[in-house]
Amino acid sequence: MWHSSEKYIRPVIDTNAELMLLKGDLEDKEAKITLAKFLRANIGFTTELISGIKLAPYQEVVLKGMLNRNFSMNVWGRGCAKTFVASVFCFLQCIFEPGSKILIAGPTFRTARFIFNNLEKIVESKGGELLQQAFGSKAKRNDQFEWQINGGSITAIPLNGEKIRGFRANILVLDEFLLLPEEIIKNVLMPFLVAPQNMKERLEIREIEDKLIKDGLMKEEDRYVFENTTKMIALSSASYTFENLYRTYQEWTQKIYDKEMGDATYFISQLSYEALPPDMIDKTIIEEAQSGGLSNSSFLREYCGQFTDGSDSYFSAKKMHECTIPDGQEPTLRLTASVGKRYLIAIDPSFSNAPNSDYFAIAVLEIDSKEEECVLVHNYAVAGADLKEHIVYFSYLIDAFKPEMIIIDNAGFQFIDSCNESDLFRNKQLSFFDFDSELEGNDYQAAIKKAKIQYNRQSGAICFKQNFTSEFLRKANEQLQASIDYKKIWFASRISPNTDAYEKSTGLANKIPLKTGETVIDIIDTQDDLIYQVKKQCALIEVKSTIKGNQSFDLPQHLKRNTSANRARKDNYTTLMLGNWLFKCYKDIKSVTEEQQEVTFTPFIV
């Protein structure tokens, strides 16, 4: 259903009908203008002509909205082709508005590059010969992709506050809008749309008009009215109602229906998979996702483009949001230890080389100075990699954070043994101390006293194995839920929006194990994304009781049935649960008083 408020309803000129009335030959200039009008009025035909791509009707409508409005928001379900439509918009905007400077940004540089790479694919594909002629030189650097076109440019950059302030653009394309920091949107991005791109031309025209008015050759009301051509395109899947995307969505909706006619114009599209042509989406994927229930909040957000309140999961998404450090504030995610801080590491290993296997997951938690709270500051999640790759990264974490204590799933404790056999651990051997964290009462007190005696940082005895029994899972999940409810555990802010943290992190390239072709910016992007993924995994966890009365904490069945490489996983949630449990155990072990052993034997001479 498409709807327009009364203030946007204006007479529509039928350009095709006007062109049908033309007769005879046209002068060269008039022919060019006529062709431009025809192409602008027929977006679908134009796109197919110059790129070989045939647009679906809904894509034509949305592209017209994006081209004709200053502020556009597309809240679409998965598979609705947000990235594709954004790529088509970029080249259409530059062709119809020469000199357009488009800036593509997202929560990570990887996100911005994805739109840019999609544009490359369209331009270089068969049928795009005409479109190729519009593009000029192209430059790709570690922190910037740029392509010249029709007197303007299309640029993809990482969204770092200081860096983005140095650019000039009149079109902003913001992907994954729900993950963008509200502070950067208001204080950095929005000011882009204040200063017009053609300022020099406007000043020259105003000077001429001032002179004509002064000489009595022109009236004040006859001044040229400059059209506002700046645009901001927000692309996103649906979010929770407590997040900034929903607030912006409501604000723009209100402005659309506001009877007062402002200078800026707005367009919002909200699409579910149900609005797509039948051949544009895989029905088996939808059926699989639907098996969790049409009212499942994850399904509503991911596929139906609907906002949900996020309070219906065992780990409340809203409460986790409230436990998240705002972007720009400390502590941020870390690539190395902060001076004077102590750290804990939790490991949930996976030894499969299959790309659809579980993640080999690691979490690093920072302990506050009073030992009352901890902050998740680093994550690792890789599926299908060799054991050697995990060992290399773990070695980096040991050197970078010098952890106080390490907890690992008992099923994979051999990972520590493998590390000790590696040359990377020649000077930092790790060992286990005995500790049964599930005990209660006097037995638990005895266990922590014994653990304190065996625990030794100097010798590397800082690891303990945790059995995943049903009793432990219940206790650990209840502990994590309470820690979130009472704000005893926090999620660090992202690196990219914090200029100081970003500059510090980019200077650590020589200390981080980088894969071939990978840069430290990719590592930053990964960390900024994983902190969101951890909370997303937690919000998906369902609690069920077995016939025997035991509780299970797992993903919904319809997500577990998916065996693809891109399937939903819960391994980062597991390391968060383990890390939070470790924080409790660490405090107990550190605080227990060692008993002085009394001498019970007095020697004597026989």
Side-chain angles (χ1 to χ4, degrees):
M1 179 183 73
W2 297 98
H3 179 75
S4 176
S5 65
E6 293 182 3
K7 69 178 182 180
Y8 286 137
I9 298 177
R10 305 167 189 169
V12 178
I13 299 174
D14 190 340
T15 303
N16 291 345
E18 285 188 350
L19 297 179
M20 289 290 290
L21 299 176
L22 292 176
K23 295 181 180 179
D25 297 330
L26 301 176
E27 295 292 332
D28 183 62
K29 182 178 180 180
E30 186 180 1
K32 290 179 179 179
I33 294 173
T34 302
L35 176 61
K37 286 183 177 181
F38 171 77
L39 294 176
R40 182 66 175 77
N42 297 272
I43 297 297
F45 175 83
T46 304
T47 303
E48 188 173 4
L49 175 68
I50 64 177
S51 68
I53 293 172
K54 187 172 182 63
L55 297 174
Y58 84 92
Q59 293 172 335
E60 287 189 54
V61 174
V62 169
L63 282 167
K64 286 184 178 180
M66 294 164 68
L67 289 168
N68 293 332
R69 296 290 182 262
N70 301 117
F71 295 90
S72 299
M73 178 181 289
N74 297 334
V75 181
W76 293 4
R78 187 180 297 181
C80 293
K82 293 190 294 289
T83 301
F84 168 76
V85 169
S87 304
V88 174
F89 165 80
C90 286
F91 70 71
L92 288 178
Q93 172 66 32
C94 291
I95 288 172
F96 289 125
E97 298 287 343
S100 292
K101 291 188 179 295
I102 298 179
L103 197 63
I104 305 173
T108 65
F109 189 31
R110 188 183 299 114
T111 307
R113 283 190 316 225
F114 192 57
I115 293 180
F116 194 96
N117 292 337
N118 201 281
L119 177 62
E120 273 187 316
K121 185 178 178 181
I122 293 173
V123 174
E124 296 170 1
S125 63
K126 185 178 179 180
E129 291 78 14
L130 282 176
L131 185 58
Q132 291 175 19
Q133 297 176 34
F135 283 87
S137 61
K138 178 169 54 176
K140 285 188 175 183
R141 302 199 299 269
N142 289 338
D143 60 349
Q144 181 181 331
F145 285 8
E146 185 176 25
W147 210 347
Q148 302 295 321
I149 173 174
N150 201 19
S153 62
I154 301 172
T155 307
I157 64 167
L159 193 59
N160 171 257
E162 287 303 315
K163 182 173 181 61
I164 199 171
R165 283 187 174 92
F167 285 88
R168 290 293 174 264
N170 63 320
I171 312 291
L172 295 175
V173 178
L174 307 176
D175 199 11
E176 295 298 338
F177 190 82
L178 73 95
L179 298 178
L180 294 178
E182 184 177 0
E183 199 69 19
I184 282 187
I185 294 172
K186 291 183 177 179
N187 298 333
V188 179
L189 297 176
M190 296 300 286
F192 271 89
L193 307 180
V194 175
Q197 194 72 13
N198 58 341
M199 181 61 76
K200 182 180 178 182
E201 178 188 350
R202 292 191 178 200
L203 292 174
E204 290 174 351
I205 291 175
R206 289 293 183 238
E207 287 179 3
I208 295 172
E209 289 177 342
D210 291 341
K211 188 175 186 305
L212 291 174
I213 292 172
K214 183 178 180 181
D215 295 341
L217 300 175
M218 180 180 175
K219 295 181 180 179
E220 188 70 34
E221 57 268 23
D222 295 331
R223 284 184 182 273
Y224 182 79
V225 179
F226 293 102
E227 184 181 358
N228 184 1
T229 58
T230 58
K231 293 182 176 68
M232 187 171 87
I233 312 296
L235 309 169
S236 185
S237 52
S239 70
Y240 296 108
T241 54
F242 55 80
E243 293 181 308
N244 181 56
L245 171 64
Y246 182 68
R247 291 195 296 271
T248 306
Y249 170 85
Q250 286 188 309
E251 180 184 335
W252 288 13
T253 302
Q254 185 177 358
K255 289 182 178 179
I256 288 174
Y257 288 98
D258 189 351
K259 294 183 179 180
E260 293 293 328
M261 193 65 171
D263 291 333
T265 54
Y266 295 82
F267 168 76
I268 295 176
S269 64
Q270 192 171 3
L271 289 181
S272 165
Y273 75 94
E274 298 167 301
L276 301 181
D279 298 330
M280 284 192 66
I281 195 161
D282 190 338
K283 292 181 180 179
T284 58
I285 294 177
I286 295 298
E287 290 171 359
E288 185 67 27
Q290 280 180 337
S291 61
L294 290 174
S295 61
N296 180 278
S297 60
S298 175
F299 179 77
L300 293 176
R301 290 193 310 275
E302 295 288 335
Y303 291 94
C304 300
Q306 295 184 28
F307 296 95
T308 61
D309 64 12
S311 60
D312 55 349
S313 55
Y314 183 77
F315 299 106
S316 168
K318 184 175 182 180
K319 289 181 179 178
M320 285 189 285
H321 177 75
E322 293 170 351
C323 288
T324 302
I325 308 296
D327 287 317
Q329 296 183 19
E330 289 283 344
T332 66
L333 292 163
R334 311 283 195 203
L335 299 187
T336 188
S338 180
V339 178
K341 297 295 184 180
R342 289 168 294 165
Y343 297 88
L344 305 173
I345 290 182
I347 308 171
D348 182 23
S350 171
F351 300 106
S352 173
N353 290 330
N356 65 340
S357 65
D358 290 343
Y359 285 139
F360 191 112
I362 304 176
V364 179
L365 284 83
E366 182 177 285
I367 305 171
D368 77 328
S369 56
K370 297 181 180 179
E371 294 190 2
E372 294 180 354
E373 300 172 355
C374 61
V375 186
L376 181 64
V377 295
H378 192 98
N379 292 281
Y380 177 75
V382 175
D386 292 333
L387 178 61
K388 182 179 178 181
E389 182 178 327
H390 305 316
I391 292 175
V392 169
Y393 201 88
F394 185 55
S395 175
Y396 147 65
L397 292 179
I398 294 294
D399 293 336
F401 293 100
K402 296 178 174 52
E404 298 282 316
M405 199 173 285
I406 298 171
I407 187 173
I408 187 169
D409 180 0
N410 186 56
F413 73 91
Q414 299 93 339
F415 172 68
I416 300 296
D417 297 334
S418 300
C419 290
N420 287 331
E421 294 172 3
S422 169
D423 289 340
L424 293 172
F425 282 78
R426 184 176 301 170
N427 299 320
K428 49 188 176 191
Q429 292 285 293
L430 301 173
S431 60
F432 293 93
F433 60 88
D434 295 327
F435 181 51
D436 187 348
S437 66
E438 296 178 55
L439 296 174
E440 296 179 348
N442 293 332
D443 293 336
Y444 181 70
Q445 292 300 316
I448 60 177
K449 289 176 182 178
K450 181 181 178 182
K452 185 162 187 175
I453 294 172
Q454 296 182 15
Y455 171 79
N456 191 314
R457 285 200 69 206
Q458 283 68 36
S459 66
I462 61 173
C463 309
F464 77 87
K465 296 169 280 188
Q466 179 59 56
N467 285 311
F468 274 42
T469 64
S470 58
E471 182 66 14
F472 161 72
L473 289 173
R474 180 186 64 80
K475 289 181 178 179
N477 279 284
E478 289 175 354
Q479 179 77 18
L480 178 57
Q481 186 188 55
S483 295
I484 293 171
D485 288 349
Y486 294 100
K487 297 184 178 180
K488 296 297 183 181
I489 190 168
W490 293 81
F491 301 90
S493 63
R494 290 175 290 186
I495 297 173
S496 294
N498 188 311
T499 303
D500 293 337
Y502 187 85
E503 293 296 331
K504 180 180 178 181
S505 298
T506 51
L508 297 172
N510 61 334
K511 297 182 179 180
I512 302 172
L514 300 174
K515 302 174 187 175
T516 304
E518 190 177 43
T519 69
V520 69
I521 293 177
D522 295 316
I523 298 295
I524 293 172
D525 284 354
T526 298
Q527 289 303 311
D528 285 353
D529 179 58
L530 282 177
I531 196 69
Y532 170 75
Q533 295 300 331
V534 172
K535 291 181 284 186
K536 186 175 180 180
Q537 289 179 26
C538 290
L540 290 174
I541 296 300
E542 287 185 347
V543 184
K544 294 182 179 179
S545 296
T546 64
I547 297 176
K548 294 183 178 180
N550 296 324
Q551 287 183 318
S552 67
F553 299 80
D554 212 336
L555 295 172
Q557 283 297 322
H558 69 284
L559 294 180
K560 291 179 66 177
R561 284 194 290 267
N562 186 349
T563 58
S564 68
N566 295 322
R567 66 185 178 88
R569 295 173 172 87
K570 63 168 186 173
D571 308 294
N572 291 107
Y573 139 75
T574 304
T575 56
L576 179 68
M577 177 196 66
L578 273 174
N580 185 67
W581 185 256
L582 173 61
F583 179 50
K584 167 190 171 295
C585 297
Y586 172 76
K587 289 190 297 180
D588 290 343
I589 292 173
K590 292 285 286 184
S591 62
V592 70
T593 303
E594 292 187 48
E595 293 182 356
Q596 297 295 326
Q597 292 188 356
E598 297 179 0
V599 177
T600 58
F601 174 74
T602 303
F604 61 92
I605 299 174
V606 177

